[in-house]
Amino acid sequence: MNIFTIPLKNIRRKILRSCIILFIFSVGVVSLYKVSKVVSQTLEEKLNKFGANIIINPKSESLTINYGSVNLGNILYDIKYLELPPLIDKIRNIKYKNNISVIAPKLVVVKEINGKKIGVVGVNFAEELKIKNYWNINGTVPHNKDEILVGSETSMNLKLKTGDEVNLNGKLFKVSGILEKVGSEEDYLVFIDILTLQQMTALINKGNFIEISALCSGCPIDEIVAELEKVIPDVKINALQKIVKQRMSAIHFVQHLSYMVSGVILITSCFMIALFIFNSVNERKKEIGILRSMGYSSGDIFIIFSFEGVLIGFLSGLVGYLLSLMVSNSVLKYLHVENINFSFNLLEMLFVVIAMVLLSLISASYPSYKASTIEPADTIVSL
């Protein structure tokens, strides 16, 4: 029997109480280390599906005409287009490429459909749906080149329904779906595959603008814009700062709230460890007196009770980290988030375990000190 085997025997002797403390401390580790990260990253992933926060346009010269108090609008000297393939390739290879989640190019033209002039937008539906999470479609998203998606107002004006065929530029297209009312200009548009529209208008590889959804927590949006301007200087890049700030405000609020809740759980766990050691000291005063009379110093007694706290902290950190991996990935699956996955990392685990050991050691230090001040004579008097 030595100063390291005594704490182990005491923990085994009070296994139920030890397991309760271990469970609560492990929950604190899970909530602080992984769940908080999952919450913030999941929220950001979801928010970035509600529209773009960077728009790239070709540089063009225009003249604003005003007469008196009447604005007569803008006159474009020359309509310019973006060369999409090389531009998208440059965007995907910038310094902050990992922060770019969606690149959605657009080609906008006016075409006659069933005798009426309608705005037709060519899009990459796979990318478009990532930033138009708010779209509700009656029918299906166009999967074939001869299918279109129609806005709610346009469907009413042209008296269209899902499955109807329309004449667009001398070619028949099937209405695969109709957008439910959005409350924006999208209600008045028709959406078509961008490659099909480029071929139809002889604007191969051309586009009017590109919408980008950038993840904001990894780096400031201004730095992403500056990097884009450096790589593609001949275009106009606008960051929708209001949208970015709203998203980041929501993310930071939820993140801070989760950290506060996790902090309360950890502080409660620390108090419970302290109470656990205090109760152990009170219950084992006779044992402490016997140990002191056998030659154990006050420092040895301090180490015995501190080591109990260290064991709880070590096991809590280890169990909490492994449990957090399972819990985090289960939460991600429940929230239908596919792009984020947490895997085992030895350095992370060591950091968590060491942090929990230090925290539990601090919690156990005062009751361990109280145990070390008990003298053999005091225990004899109590008998």
Side-chain angles (χ1 to χ4, degrees):
M1 184 173 68
N2 56 51
I3 59 175
F4 296 110
T5 57
I6 293 173
L8 286 170
K9 289 182 179 180
N10 183 58
I11 289 176
R12 285 200 302 267
R13 189 170 54 193
K14 299 176 179 177
I15 188 66
L16 180 60
R17 189 190 302 178
S18 301
C19 287
I20 292 173
I21 298 293
L22 177 63
F23 173 75
I24 294 173
F25 214 8
S26 297
V27 169
V29 175
V30 171
S31 61
L32 180 63
Y33 184 65
K34 284 293 185 185
V35 173
S36 300
K37 188 184 291 187
V38 167
V39 168
S40 60
Q41 290 190 351
T42 302
L43 179 61
E44 183 170 356
E45 180 76 14
K46 295 294 184 183
L47 287 177
N48 276 288
K49 292 182 178 179
F50 286 88
N53 48 25
I54 298 175
I55 297 179
I56 298 177
N57 294 289
K59 287 183 178 178
S60 58
E61 295 182 0
S62 63
L63 175 66
T64 302
I65 300 177
N66 292 290
Y67 186 76
S69 59
V70 180
N71 187 338
L72 301 178
N74 297 332
I75 296 178
L76 286 175
Y77 291 132
D78 184 26
I79 297 177
K80 295 183 179 180
Y81 295 96
L82 299 171
E83 285 289 339
L84 295 179
L87 198 59
I88 292 174
D89 187 58
K90 288 179 180 178
I91 294 171
R92 293 194 186 280
N93 288 286
I94 65 170
K95 178 182 176 182
Y96 298 108
K97 60 184 178 182
N98 292 333
N99 294 90
I100 303 295
S101 60
V102 181
I103 301 174
K106 308 282 193 302
L107 176 62
V108 184
V109 298
V110 176
K111 289 291 179 181
E112 196 171 277
I113 300 178
N114 292 355
K116 293 185 179 181
K117 289 186 176 181
I118 303 293
V120 180
V121 183
V123 299
N124 181 331
F125 284 104
E127 293 293 298
E128 196 70 18
L129 291 174
K130 292 178 183 178
I131 58 173
K132 300 294 172 64
N133 197 44
Y134 54 86
W135 275 6
N136 289 316
I137 301 172
N138 293 322
T140 61
V141 177
H143 295 293
N144 300 317
K145 292 183 178 181
D146 61 346
E147 293 181 335
I148 59 174
L149 181 65
V150 182
S152 59
E153 292 294 333
T154 299
S155 68
M156 287 189 290
N157 292 335
L158 299 179
K159 296 181 174 57
L160 297 175
K161 61 182 183 296
T162 303
D164 287 350
E165 289 189 338
V166 299
N167 189 310
L168 174 57
N169 208 53
K171 185 179 178 181
L172 289 179
F173 285 82
K174 180 183 176 182
V175 178
S176 68
I178 295 175
L179 276 178
E180 291 186 9
K181 193 173 183 63
V182 176
S184 69
E185 64 274 5
E186 293 169 347
D187 295 331
Y188 300 89
L189 299 173
V190 169
F191 297 90
I192 189 173
D193 177 68
I194 190 169
L195 295 178
T196 303
L197 188 60
Q198 286 171 344
Q199 293 171 356
M200 184 188 301
T201 56
L203 295 171
I204 305 300
N205 295 332
K206 298 286 195 295
N208 293 98
F209 64 98
I210 298 175
E211 290 183 316
I212 296 175
S213 181
L215 304 176
C216 309
S217 62
C219 76
I221 200 73
D222 292 334
E223 292 185 24
I224 297 178
V225 171
E227 182 67 20
L228 287 171
E229 289 175 341
K230 187 190 303 182
V231 175
I232 41 178
D234 52 341
V235 299
K236 185 166 61 176
I237 302 171
N238 296 314
L240 307 181
Q241 295 287 358
K242 185 177 180 181
I243 294 175
V244 174
K245 289 177 181 177
Q246 286 174 342
R247 291 182 188 177
M248 292 311 300
S249 177
I251 292 168
H252 289 154
F253 173 78
V254 173
Q255 195 173 39
H256 292 158
L257 181 62
S258 61
Y259 281 142
M260 286 177 61
V261 172
S262 302
V264 169
I265 294 173
L266 275 182
I267 290 171
T268 303
S269 302
C270 291
F271 275 112
M272 291 192 70
I273 288 178
L275 288 173
F276 176 78
I277 304 298
F278 261 124
N279 288 334
S280 183
V281 170
N282 290 329
E283 293 171 0
R284 296 162 60 193
K285 281 185 177 180
K286 295 177 184 178
E287 182 184 331
I288 294 170
I290 294 170
L291 290 173
R292 290 299 306 274
S293 63
M294 291 172 60
Y296 283 79
S297 66
S298 58
D300 293 333
I301 301 299
F302 181 86
I303 291 174
I304 288 171
F305 285 93
S306 295
F307 191 61
E308 283 189 27
V310 168
L311 283 174
I312 293 172
F314 174 80
L315 293 173
S316 298
L318 186 62
V319 173
Y321 179 80
L322 297 175
L323 188 62
S324 68
L325 291 178
M326 294 185 290
V327 170
S328 301
N329 290 320
S330 298
V331 170
L332 289 175
K333 287 182 181 178
Y334 177 76
L335 296 174
H336 305 292
V337 177
E338 299 176 353
N339 298 331
I340 304 172
N341 187 43
F342 293 103
S343 57
F344 178 81
N345 186 306
L346 182 60
L347 290 177
E348 280 187 350
M349 188 186 73
L350 290 175
F351 172 78
V352 172
V353 170
I354 292 170
M356 291 305 106
V357 166
L358 291 175
L359 200 58
S360 58
L361 181 60
I362 293 170
S363 303
S365 59
Y366 182 70
S368 299
Y369 165 75
K370 295 294 290 183
S372 68
T373 59
I374 296 175
E375 297 293 336
D378 296 334
T379 57
I380 293 172
V381 170
S382 65
L383 293 174

